Amino acid sequence: MNDAGHNAGPIDAVITWVDGADPAHAARLAAYLDSIGAGRPNAAHPTRFNDAGEIDYCVASIFRFAPWIRTLHVVTDRQAPRLIGQLAGTRFADRVRVVDHAELFAGHAQHLPTFNSRAIITTLWRIDGLSERFVYFNDDFALIRPVRPDDFFRDERVVLRGKWQRQSAHRPLRKLIAAARRMAGKDPARSPTARVRNLAAQEASARMAGFDRDYLRLYHNPFPMRRSTLEHFFAERPDLLEANLRHRLRSPAQFKTEVLAAHLEAAQGNAVFDARLHAVQLKPSEQWFPRMRRRMANADRDENAAFVCVQSLELAPPRVQASIRDWLDRRIGRLAEVLAHATMREAGAVAGSGLEDLRGDI
């Protein structure tokens, strides 16, 4: 690999985060649900807003394994993660910026407060001072090995990870199954499963970029994006921006901006397709623990396992949580350790610190 992606200018990271246990945030959500006369739908399930400290691993992993990233923009709702206090007084303090939803929804404040990640992602390109090229992380993503700029960008081209496949409307078997479900009163568009909603949203997003027959089914990874691509698209289609922002809870009517952006780049010839690096997905609330242990062990042996996504860690039994955290501590390190390691490296005092095995220069 080379640094072709780095030579074209700075690259930022954007991390979306929320602490649903914050009483003020919980009160805003409860007030909104009361205002629409709704109970707690799946789109407002507490797991969508819980904070189990995953963002600490996310930030630590970027400092450790992607030191070339310029600024980390943490997008949130009138909150700040605890790690901001840890960074105070260090050389990392000015590399992390908290961005409030009010900044992103300027001119669309009528849609705040929002509790909808799809709406929030639609506004990321509006971050003040954001670099032209940036990588979007959810807070439950982290890096688990060193990565280079050209793992995300090759000059001005975006590196996309996914699999090209036919749109459901052009797959006869899918059409037959969908028709049978509708006849049985089970409309796929109303399915409660996240899988169906995600794929349908991916297909719809691809069609918005002109891909009516095939689409790139994106893998669940950190997403490289270009600010100008989305800025130009929404300048021409402000109706679509407004349509995606008006849903305060996730809706099947929404598109996925990261998928739209990827297909816009592909349509313009500004994409490189390289799925060599991949993510390890851990779902403690769904996966059998031995299966997760195998995934972690496989990731230790696989040099292409570069990312990890830990979904709803707080729902796992304490023993499982401890095992996953131990693995993350070994692969990434606690934020305090990463910061201390960087400080000692600068002072030339790493030897004997017990942290020499931390991979990657910071």
Side-chain angles (χ1 to χ4, degrees):
M1 290 186 293
N2 56 55
D3 286 326
H6 192 49
N7 294 335
I11 300 172
D12 288 350
V14 178
I15 306 168
T16 53
W17 173 83
V18 68
D19 179 8
D22 172 17
H25 181 273
R28 289 194 290 275
L29 176 57
Y32 173 68
L33 294 176
D34 287 345
S35 73
I36 61 175
R40 185 175 286 269
N42 185 57
H45 193 282
T47 59
R48 294 194 179 276
F49 313 109
N50 286 343
D51 170 35
E54 299 96 336
I55 191 173
D56 289 10
Y57 289 111
C58 178
V59 170
S61 76
I62 294 172
F63 284 157
R64 179 176 173 183
F65 295 131
W68 41 267
I69 284 181
R70 184 187 65 172
T71 303
L72 285 66
H73 304 269
V74 178
V75 174
T76 187
D77 178 18
R78 287 176 272 182
Q79 300 173 320
R82 291 183 298 272
L83 64 85
I84 296 299
Q86 288 182 264
L87 298 177
T90 74
R91 70 180 182 88
F92 295 96
D94 61 356
R95 289 187 58 196
V96 180
R97 175 174 178 258
V98 176
V99 181
D100 192 79
H101 291 174
E103 176 181 321
L104 304 185
F105 281 72
H108 304 274
Q110 69 272 24
H111 302 310
L112 291 177
T114 186
F115 312 96
N116 183 345
S117 61
R118 288 186 183 173
I120 295 164
I121 296 167
T122 307
T123 68
L124 298 183
W125 59 275
R126 307 181 90 211
I127 293 174
D128 185 35
L130 180 67
S131 60
E132 161 66 2
R133 301 176 305 159
F134 65 96
V135 182
Y136 159 59
F137 292 77
N138 201 317
D139 64 354
D140 58 8
F141 266 120
L143 306 173
I144 55 175
R145 65 177 63 252
V147 291
R148 303 281 290 269
D150 65 358
D151 289 323
F152 300 95
F153 298 94
R154 310 277 167 86
D155 295 318
E156 294 301 320
R157 294 184 297 169
V158 176
V159 177
L160 301 181
R161 298 179 173 89
K163 177 182 179 181
W164 285 99
Q165 61 186 43
R166 192 63 47 86
Q167 292 258 0
S168 297
H170 295 280
R171 299 170 69 178
L173 181 58
R174 282 286 185 91
K175 292 174 67 175
L176 182 61
I177 293 173
R181 286 177 173 171
R182 285 193 294 270
M183 290 179 64
K186 299 178 180 179
D187 187 348
R190 300 178 181 274
S191 170
T193 64
R195 176 182 173 85
V196 172
R197 288 200 302 270
N198 175 55
L199 294 184
Q202 287 210 37
E203 292 185 359
S205 304
R207 290 194 296 271
M208 291 170 57
F211 291 83
D212 295 327
R213 186 174 179 82
D214 299 310
Y215 77 107
L216 182 67
R217 178 179 174 182
L218 289 184
Y219 298 143
H220 202 44
N221 289 295
F223 297 104
M225 304 165 76
R226 294 198 312 155
R227 180 177 188 167
S228 62
T229 299
L230 293 171
E231 183 176 15
H232 295 158
F233 178 82
F234 288 122
E236 295 178 354
R237 294 299 306 274
D239 57 314
L240 291 178
L241 176 65
E242 178 68 18
N244 231 36
L245 299 189
R246 68 183 182 86
H247 300 279
R248 299 200 190 191
L249 295 174
R250 185 177 295 189
S251 167
Q254 289 183 292
F255 58 86
K256 301 189 72 171
T257 303
E258 63 272 30
V259 179
L260 168 65
H263 285 83
L264 290 172
E265 301 292 4
Q268 297 165 12
N270 293 330
V272 175
F273 304 98
D274 184 352
R276 176 180 50 85
L277 299 183
H278 61 87
V280 180
Q281 290 199 25
L282 303 178
K283 302 179 181 180
S285 64
E286 301 177 18
Q287 295 169 345
W288 193 36
F289 184 45
R291 180 184 180 190
M292 286 191 292
R293 284 192 299 191
R294 285 196 300 272
R295 289 193 171 193
M296 290 186 284
N298 289 339
D300 288 339
R301 296 188 293 267
D302 185 355
E303 64 180 12
N304 291 324
F307 322 116
V308 64
C309 178
V310 184
Q311 297 182 348
S312 302
L313 177 60
E314 72 285 350
L315 296 182
R319 178 177 67 93
V320 176
Q321 286 194 42
S323 178
I324 294 174
R325 290 186 186 278
D326 286 345
W327 182 73
L328 293 173
D329 288 346
R330 177 169 59 82
R331 292 303 305 262
I332 300 170
R334 298 288 180 94
L335 180 61
E337 292 176 335
V338 173
L339 296 178
H341 178 67
T343 301
M344 287 187 288
R345 283 185 67 89
E346 288 186 335
V350 175
S353 69
L355 296 174
E356 295 90 341
D357 61 334
L358 284 177
R359 295 183 288 272
D361 292 330
I362 299 176

